[in-house]
Amino acid sequence: MPDTAPPRWKAAVSAWLGLFPLLVLAEFLLVPRLTAVPSVLRLALLSAALVAAMTYAVSPAAERLLRPWLTRSPETESS
C-alpha cells in the first residue's frame, strides 16, 4: 500500500496557512476583550478555542482545498 501522507514540510505549511489567520483574528477580536482575565487562564481559553477551531473547521477545510498539492508526487512536481 503506497504512503498517502504528504511530506512533513507540506503538512507544516498547510497547518501554518490555517493557523496564522486564526491567530490574527484572536489577536484583534478576542485578546482585547480578555485583558481582565489572568494571563494563564487567558492562554488556556485561547489555546482551547484555537485548537478546537483548527481540529473541527480549519484543518479539514485546508486539507480539502490543498489536497491536490498535498498529494502530488515528487515526480509530477519537478516537471
Side-chain angles (χ1 to χ4, degrees):
M1 175 151 64
D3 186 18
T4 58
R8 286 186 182 197
W9 71 270
K10 285 186 176 183
V13 169
S14 66
W16 181 82
L17 288 172
L19 187 58
F20 181 74
L22 282 179
L23 291 171
V24 171
L25 284 173
E27 180 65 29
F28 288 108
L29 299 177
L30 299 176
V31 171
R33 290 165 175 77
L34 297 173
T35 55
V37 178
S39 297
V40 173
L41 180 57
R42 182 173 58 237
L43 287 171
L45 293 170
L46 287 171
S47 65
L50 293 175
V51 166
M54 282 295 292
T55 301
Y56 296 107
V58 177
S59 288
E63 186 178 327
R64 277 191 304 276
L65 289 170
L66 297 174
R67 184 170 288 132
W69 176 69
L70 288 170
T71 59
R72 190 176 307 146
S73 67
E75 298 83 37
T76 57
E77 282 187 1
S78 62
S79 53

